[in-house]
Amino acid sequence: MLDYTLTEEQEMIRDLARSFAKKEILPVAELYDRNDEYPWPIIKKAHKVGLISSNVPERYGGPGFGVLEECIINEELAWACSGIQTALMLNNVAAWPLILVGTEDQRQRYLPRLTQGGELAAYALTEPAAGSDVSGILTSATRQGDEYLLNGTKTWITNAPVASFFVIFAKTDPGARHRGISAFIVDRDSQGVTLGKPMKKMGQHAAWAGEIVMEDVRVPLENRVGNEGDGFAIAMKVFDRSRPPVAAAAVGVARRALDEATRYAMERKSFGKPIVAHQGVGFMLADMAMNVEAAEHLVRHSAWLVDRGSANVKEAAMAKAFAADACMRTTTDAVQIFGGYGVSVEYPVEKLMRDAKIYQIYEGTSQIQRVIIARELTRR
């Protein structure tokens, strides 16, 4: 029998994240969105209270939280601003390859930089011609004695403009498709690394994304993560752990949209009564609430599975697809309930709708999640 009751520690984590979201993020969310600024002051405060690099084990300076705890944190922070929340969560994604298959030397050299040094990292998989098709990446890593020579371009890499180091996926055997991919830790100041300016986006303006261009970048053998050819398997293991927290963030945005729409529907009157009393609006709110609740359950179940060592490929894909689509529908409906005010930058639902769209795209599009779900169903 499943028990969905949070433990006392998980409730404390939720309360900490909720308080941080309301006190530190919500009052400045609009400012960072409008000015496209990177939220360094909030990043530093999050470091102090332990809301960043939360999956890093205690021996390397982190709290060692599980995926479920990360989901709890992400939902609360994204409720206030998903752009700032996304900037905060990327350390977790970049840390996973090291936590899962990294050597002790790699963990000792890089993980404390995230926890004790307050640095940021980025996870670099996507390329200009390879998004959903991971096996299609073109970045190459050529072995030359005790080092590799990396050449290629990564794009839409969140935190790339501000990260101190990157986990880069490159082809060590171009003819082997996905079996020829390997992973490497590359420092920002490595000769041959060029970083692009933050890219302009529809939403999540506080989470900077950019290009990483590598021209004959020399990476020592000791910075290869796992064995040659392990890169694709590493990326898939990371997805199993990163998709539930991303889905949780989508739930947070959707919950905020529901909160804002419900409050407005109770205050706004038409035909002599609050618009919530009209079925056209009331039913929309009911559907929004059902989607938020269902998405949260899918997210927490997928996180619970991977935390206990069980396979969650199908469940993580379900959580990611459902939460992303529910987030887009819920924010769109919130704008509709606000009417003309919904498209005004003076009201929060306009930002929520812009922030929502990316959830259907990154960490695997909603269409790719359905491919995964169908594949897992046939395997059974």
Side-chain angles (χ1 to χ4, degrees), residues 37-49:
E37 292 183 17
Y38 194 80
W40 278 118
I42 298 176
I43 296 286
K44 293 176 181 178
K45 290 178 181 178
H47 270 296
K48 290 182 179 180
V49 299

Side-chain angles (χ1 to χ4, degrees), residues 251 254 286-296 322-323 326-327 329-330 333:
V251 173
D287 286 339
M288 292 162 70
M290 286 190 289
N291 280 320
V292 170
E293 192 79 10
E296 185 177 66
F322 189 89
C327 182
R329 287 196 302 270
T330 301
D333 286 347

Side-chain angles (χ1 to χ4, degrees), residues 124-282:
L125 185 60
T126 303
E127 298 188 0
S132 297
D133 181 12
V134 174
S135 63
I137 65 173
L138 298 176
T139 296
S140 63
T142 306
R143 178 79 177 264
Q144 293 187 347
D146 290 335
E147 60 185 12
Y148 288 85
L149 208 60
L150 267 63
N151 284 279
T153 300
K154 298 293 181 179
T155 192
W156 290 112
I157 306 303
T158 304
N159 273 7
V162 294
S164 296
F165 65 89
F166 321 101
V167 176
I168 302 283
F169 291 82
K171 285 281 184 69
T172 45
D173 184 355
R177 293 288 292 172
H178 70 279
R179 293 184 178 87
I181 299 174
S182 302
F184 303 88
I185 306 168
V186 178
D187 286 290
R188 177 191 184 91
D189 58 3
S190 298
Q191 186 174 352
V193 171
T194 303
L195 301 176
K197 294 181 180 180
M199 304 168 93
K200 296 292 184 181
K201 301 178 296 175
M202 174 191 295
Q204 297 195 0
H205 294 166
W208 285 2
E211 283 193 336
I212 305 172
V213 180
M214 292 161 287
E215 296 179 289
D216 292 337
V217 177
R218 295 189 178 276
V219 180
L221 177 62
E222 58 264 28
N223 275 29
R224 188 188 67 208
V225 184
N227 298 317
E228 275 199 11
D230 285 350
F232 184 83
I234 293 170
M236 295 305 106
K237 288 179 181 178
V238 171
F239 277 140
D240 293 342
R241 291 158 178 81
S242 64
R243 280 172 177 159
V246 170
V251 173
V253 174
R255 180 159 61 84
R256 173 72 181 286
L258 173 61
D259 291 346
E260 296 289 348
T262 301
R263 183 182 304 110
Y264 183 80
M266 294 172 66
E267 297 172 352
R268 175 78 178 194
K269 292 183 178 180
S270 70
F271 303 102
K273 54 185 177 181
I275 61 174
V276 69
H278 299 294
Q279 281 190 352
V281 174

Side-chain angles (χ1 to χ4, degrees), residues 281-327:
V281 174
F283 282 9
M284 288 175 70
L285 289 171
D287 286 339
M288 292 162 70
M290 286 190 289
N291 280 320
V292 170
E293 192 79 10
E296 185 177 66
H297 280 287
L298 283 171
V299 166
R300 294 191 176 183
H301 179 57
S302 65
W304 175 80
L305 282 172
V306 75
D307 278 344
R308 68 195 295 265
S310 299
N312 77 331
V313 177
K314 174 173 66 70
E315 289 78 8
M318 285 181 168
K320 170 62 170 57
F322 189 89
D325 292 349
C327 182

Side-chain angles (χ1 to χ4, degrees), residues 335-336 338-344:
V335 169
Q336 187 70 21
F338 270 73
Y341 293 116
V343 297
S344 169

Side-chain angles (χ1 to χ4, degrees), residues 50-61:
L51 291 176
I52 189 171
S53 307
S54 63
N55 61 342
V56 176
E58 292 182 10
R59 64 185 297 181
Y60 308 110

